[in-house]
Amino acid sequence: MTIEFSETEKARLLEATIAGQLPDERGRFGPFGGRYVPETLVPALERLTEGMHRHLADRAFLERFRHELTTWVGRPTPLTEAPNLGRAWGAQVWLKREDLAHTGAHKINNAIGQALLAKLLGARRVIAETGAGQHGVASAAACARVGLPCTVYMGAVDVERQAPNVDRMRRLGAEVHAVQSGDRTLRSAIDEALRDWVSDPAGTYYLLGSAVGPHPYPYLVRELHCVIGRESRAQMLTAAGALPDAVFACVGGGSNAIGLFHPMVGDPGVALIGVEAGGRGGGLGEHSATLSRGRPGVLQGCYTLLLQDDDGQVQGTHSISAGLDYPGVGPEHALLQSIGRVRYTNARDDDALDALNECCALEGILPALETAHAFAGARAWARENSGRRILIGLSGRGDKDMPTLSRFPMEARHATA
Ligand SMILES: *Cc1c(COP(=O)(O)O)cnc(C)c1O
């Protein structure tokens, strides 16, 4: 379904990725990425690109970012061995605990980094969009921390699914807009945020929540999240004495996955595996497995893989987890799949639920429903590859999912096991 490359081209693109040469100056990861936006946004994106490069290369900015990550976010997050899961799966299992980061997920790395950048670039207000509500909470918290007003757009369906997070955002000082148009999930929230931004591109900073959208966001978000993979790599060497054989992360837009994977793309012995939402099945609108089933196209400013029908209409999606419920994916993942460096699988709703319950029961950790997809993918892999070292990106905690989880009582697991 995806773009085919010759072996030479694959090798060249892998080398460029490892050398940090992608995206190129046009914001391209090979054929993917770029900047497909209305004329009115081009100057704002150019200002952002210029400011981003300036500050990401500036010692003072990096020092301030690191200080916030250490003293406010709580980094480095621990690496936890999961011996009980390991016994059950016939593997050695390690968990990178982004659930222990401030506000309960990896998203805070990106939010505080961009909020600091917004302040330095002279923004008067920040807007953000959110699916699961985690990015909204992270943005609200980060904006409070740096002293900028924050408006969060959220699909009306998600507002309902994630009520506790809506209350948290408001308490952290953000204004929350429930978006009633379109599919009323993350995709419509992003459309609405873009609309807001077009009306005041100079004074408003758009704090994008995943490694998606027009250049420079896929690059910027990756750079702010690479701390996950850098820490994990060093922690595995210290704790396990070796790098993992396989690394798993769930993929919605792809930010926690790219942050974890990118620093290990150059380690040829490490298999990298992204797990998407397989939903209820493979039919139209039943899943959001973009990398497995998508085709190239343009969505929200970016050329990437998309779930679309034969006429190029973007398809509806479904996932039990709001954070994975998106018909596009970050352009760097589209490239990493095309060149064969990262493999992408998917886990169905019931598999993810079962893996979530298993992690709770065996390790005393309640992962987010998004994260549970990574566990389900890792468990399936462990069945075919016994005795390996597995690292799972535990992207967030599941407390926010209690309203959804309460619809699936524990007995159901034993009945279906
Ligand atoms: C938002 C979210 C995701 C999905 O977003 P990515 O950009 O794909 O990482 C995954 N896990 C958790 C806990 C989230 O909050």
Side-chain angles (χ1 to χ4, degrees):
M1 294 280 223
T2 182
I3 294 179
E4 302 279 341
F5 295 109
S6 69
E7 291 306 316
T8 330
E9 191 60 5
K10 282 183 188 172
R12 188 189 69 76
L13 287 164
L14 176 60
E15 214 164 283
T17 302
I18 294 167
Q21 291 160 352
L22 298 183
D24 63 21
E25 59 297 339
R26 288 151 58 235
R28 296 276 183 172
F29 299 87
F32 301 107
R35 192 184 270 168
Y36 296 84
V37 295
E39 228 21 72
T40 39
L41 283 184
V42 172
L45 286 166
E46 267 165 14
R47 261 197 315 278
L48 173 60
T49 306
E50 184 276 322
M52 169 195 77
H53 283 307
R54 190 156 36 85
H55 290 296
L56 286 183
D58 175 36
R59 265 262 262 325
F61 175 82
L62 293 175
E63 204 35 60
R64 177 80 202 280
F65 180 44
R66 216 187 42 162
H67 181 77
E68 291 301 304
L69 288 181
T70 309
T71 65
W72 186 72
V73 171
R75 301 207 76 89
T77 58
L79 180 77
T80 304
E81 187 168 13
N84 303 324
L85 277 180
R87 257 190 300 282
W89 296 359
Q92 267 178 278
V93 180
W94 302 83
L95 311 173
K96 179 57 174 167
R97 302 292 305 280
E98 295 302 292
D99 60 318
L100 296 179
H102 182 43
T103 69
H106 68 288
K107 291 205 170 72
I108 197 72
N109 305 321
N110 171 52
I112 188 64
Q114 287 199 56
L116 289 170
L117 192 57
K119 192 82 178 172
L120 288 171
L121 297 178
R124 284 190 303 275
R125 65 190 275 266
V126 167
I127 57 170
E129 87 304 314
T130 194
Q134 288 299 104
H135 177 58
V137 169
S139 299
C143 287
R145 177 76 177 167
V146 307
L148 278 171
C150 178
T151 300
V152 178
Y153 291 97
M154 188 170 186
V157 171
D158 293 336
V159 167
E160 211 163 292
R161 284 196 280 202
Q162 309 285 342
N165 270 344
V166 176
D167 291 342
R168 285 169 79 197
M169 285 179 244
R170 294 199 165 120
R171 208 162 285 273
L172 288 163
E175 204 181 298
V176 181
H177 282 283
V179 178
Q180 299 289 351
S181 57
D183 66 358
R184 306 191 303 149
T185 67
L186 180 59
R187 190 180 145 216
S188 352
I190 297 180
D191 281 335
E192 205 57 35
L194 284 169
R195 221 163 285 151
D196 178 321
W197 197 24
V198 170
S199 70
D200 174 30
T204 297
Y205 183 94
Y206 181 15
L207 206 172
L208 197 56
S210 192
V212 299
H215 181 60
Y217 286 108
Y219 169 79
L220 173 59
V221 174
R222 179 192 85 195
E223 289 300 293
L224 297 173
H225 276 309
C226 269
V227 64
I228 304 170
R230 282 197 301 269
E231 284 176 8
S232 300
R233 200 177 178 287
Q235 288 169 320
M236 281 298 296
L237 288 173
T238 304
L243 292 176
D245 296 311
V247 180
F248 291 83
C250 64
V251 179
S255 69
N256 87 88
I258 203 68
L260 181 60
F261 292 168
H262 199 268
M264 288 184 266
V265 164
D267 295 306
V270 179
L272 303 172
I273 301 161
V275 187
E276 295 189 296
R280 288 188 281 256
L284 214 70
E286 289 187 330
H287 59 86
S288 35
T290 312
L291 287 149
S292 314
R293 304 205 180 90
R295 285 180 296 127
V298 171
L299 179 68
Q300 286 162 337
C302 177
Y303 182 72
T304 184
L305 293 177
L306 304 179
L307 292 170
Q308 51 190 322
D309 63 20
D310 291 338
D311 301 325
Q313 291 294 318
V314 175
Q315 289 176 23
T317 53
H318 162 78
S319 171
I320 192 170
S321 62
L324 301 185
D325 206 346
Y326 182 64
V329 70
E332 191 163 9
H333 287 291
L335 177 73
L336 290 169
Q337 172 172 261
S338 300
I339 64 175
R341 179 60 187 97
V342 181
R343 204 159 58 75
Y344 296 87
T345 62
N346 55 81
R348 293 170 54 122
D349 289 349
D350 48 0
D351 251 353
L353 253 179
D354 192 65
L356 179 145
N357 288 332
E358 188 183 29
C359 184
C360 286
L362 295 188
E363 300 294 349
I365 298 169
L366 168 61
L369 272 168
E370 290 81 2
T371 313
H373 290 73
F375 280 81
R379 182 172 62 177
W381 188 86
R383 281 192 192 121
E384 323 249 287
N385 300 272
S386 72
R388 304 296 188 86
R389 268 187 309 276
I390 294 175
L391 170 65
I392 302 174
L394 209 173
S395 56
R397 68 182 185 219
D399 308 53
K400 69 178 176 61
D401 294 313
M402 287 317 295
T404 303
L405 292 174
S406 62
R407 303 206 319 266
F408 302 93
M410 288 298 295
E411 298 78 64
R413 183 190 173 217
H414 301 297
T416 56

